[in-house]
Amino acid sequence: MDDRGHLRSPMSAARGRSALTLWLAVVLALAAEAEAPAGFSCRPGSRPVVFNFGDSNSDTGGMAAAMGWHIRPPEGRAFFHHPTGRFCDGRLAVDFLCESLNISYLSPYLKALGSNYSNGANFAISGSTTLPRDVPFALHIQVQQFFYFRDRSLELISQGLPGPIDAEGFRNALYMIDIGQNDVNALLSYLPYDQVVAKFPPILAEIQDAIQTLYGNGSRNFWVHGTGALGCLPQKLSIPRRNDSDLDPNGCLRTYNRAAVAFNAALGSLCDQLSSQMKDATVVYTDLFPIKYGLVANHTKYGFDRPLMTCCGYGGPPYNYNISISCQSKAAIVCDDGSKYVSWDGVHLTEAANAIVAAGILSSEYSTPKIKLDQFCKV
């Protein structure tokens, strides 16, 4: 019925409902856009500053410095031409991300000599987990190390001495978190899938606490990475099994990968929740599973000949991995061309694979919201 009491035809009523639906959709979209952060809170043209927290996937030499390890070649051979403390033949994904921002590679917080902290610092340490939270070098400890670094830097500046980063630099910095893989792997080593997933909440609570603690101290830009395709790691594939029933068509372990996907889904939901709570912050979540699984599933596309075989390891085909003979062992067998391999040492990726992972991250295709990392401090 219209305004004058006249009945409207069903088609007219339908058109009215469609118009109303469209109008409501536009209003809701505008409201969502108004509530969403405009992007990174870094003034265009400012010097990008990055602080990274994580494990060996982004450790640029922290564990080597902490433990006094003398990492030997062939580590670093593809790019640096000498070992740097990275568990890789060259650059990590975080190194390529720094290149995209036109800043120097992140120096490990614990590296006393030759470090440059003008563009940030790397607190990632190989083997790190979220739990237990008070042991070196858990995520909580890394965050505490950051506060020590921040307070000391600001103290130096207050005394009229040169400090690497000022208050504005800390406030506008990008805080990256890439951790959880070791937690999930540890659980999978002794628990069935359902019990593994049931233990995710405490792990996620530690990541949440880290982000909220940093936020409470002025941080506003966060970039969080999910875990990768754990079931495609030669380390896991080399574990003796009764049969191949758990292998998928690409030769990866389904159970490990199911756990990785479930963890990432929960982590993505956590980041959505934090975004809704911290209205003036930007929290970007990037799902690394499809990127890293794609290295195996689409290996011919990327030029990889041996997607499931370790470049630097021991034992020969199919995985060239032996838990007792690492890449650092004199008995290790090293491939001639790491660019043909996905896995460097059975756990960590080659530089060639890391470059593809970084490109996936930079594409924003796997990120929520779809913000371009390489535009940090540019727009």
Side-chain angles (χ1 to χ4, degrees), residues 35-335:
E35 289 182 2
F40 296 121
S41 59
C42 179
R43 188 175 66 252
S46 298
R47 177 186 62 180
V49 174
V50 176
F51 294 105
N52 184 69
F53 306 86
D55 51 33
S56 58
N57 289 311
S58 58
D59 180 357
T60 53
M63 179 57 89
M67 302 301 293
W69 288 347
H70 293 277
I71 307 294
R72 302 186 305 106
E75 307 280 8
R77 70 178 187 178
F79 181 77
F80 301 102
H81 307 301
H82 62 85
T84 63
R86 293 165 173 81
F87 293 95
C88 181
D89 59 337
R91 289 164 290 185
L92 307 179
V94 69
D95 295 315
F96 289 105
L97 299 182
C98 286
E99 289 181 3
S100 77
L101 295 172
N102 197 30
I103 62 174
S104 59
Y105 301 131
L106 296 181
S107 293
Y109 166 71
L110 294 176
K111 186 178 179 181
L113 301 175
S115 292
N116 174 12
Y117 299 119
S118 61
N119 289 116
N122 193 359
F123 299 89
I125 296 285
S126 296
S128 291
T129 57
T130 64
L131 293 168
R133 75 189 316 250
D134 291 317
V135 302
F137 293 95
L139 177 59
H140 172 69
I141 297 298
Q142 293 181 27
V143 172
Q144 296 309 304
Q145 290 176 325
F146 162 76
F147 287 128
Y148 183 92
F149 176 91
R150 182 201 64 178
D151 294 347
R152 182 59 178 151
S153 182
L154 296 180
E155 180 184 11
L156 289 172
I157 293 173
S158 70
Q159 295 172 351
L161 300 172
I165 299 168
D166 59 16
E168 182 180 5
F170 285 108
R171 185 170 56 252
N172 293 331
L174 180 63
Y175 294 81
M176 301 182 67
I177 297 177
D178 186 340
I179 202 166
Q181 176 171 321
N182 292 324
D183 294 270
V184 177
N185 270 336
L187 294 173
L188 284 164
S189 68
Y190 70 97
L191 291 175
Y193 173 81
D194 290 344
Q195 292 182 39
V196 168
V197 174
K199 289 186 176 291
F200 285 169
I203 301 172
L204 297 166
E206 289 299 315
I207 297 174
Q208 178 178 355
D209 179 73
I211 294 174
Q212 289 179 329
T213 300
L214 291 166
Y215 175 81
N217 283 269
S219 306
R220 291 296 180 268
N221 305 307
F222 300 94
W223 196 283
V224 183
H225 288 156
T227 195
L230 307 181
C232 300
L233 299 178
Q235 178 200 52
K236 304 307 177 189
L237 289 164
S238 68
I239 298 173
R241 52 184 180 269
R242 292 183 180 180
N243 53 58
D244 292 342
S245 61
D246 195 38
L247 296 183
D248 70 13
N250 290 303
C252 299
L253 293 164
R254 288 189 176 92
T255 301
Y256 275 84
N257 281 345
R258 282 179 63 207
V261 170
F263 178 79
N264 285 359
L267 181 58
S269 295
L270 170 62
C271 290
D272 289 341
Q273 173 189 331
L274 291 171
S275 292
S276 66
Q277 293 173 354
M278 305 184 308
K279 299 294 187 182
D280 58 338
T282 297
V283 182
V284 179
Y285 166 72
T286 302
D287 188 353
L288 295 191
F289 182 89
I291 304 175
K292 292 188 176 181
Y293 187 75
L295 296 172
V296 175
N298 305 312
H299 64 275
T300 54
K301 168 186 173 183
Y302 298 121
F304 296 125
D305 294 335
R306 304 291 183 90
L308 298 177
M309 188 168 168
T310 296
C311 172
C312 184
Y314 185 83
Y319 306 121
N320 193 38
Y321 183 86
N322 186 312
I323 193 171
S324 301
I325 303 176
S326 72
C327 182
Q328 283 292 288
S329 171
K330 292 181 179 179
I333 299 172
V334 188
C335 70

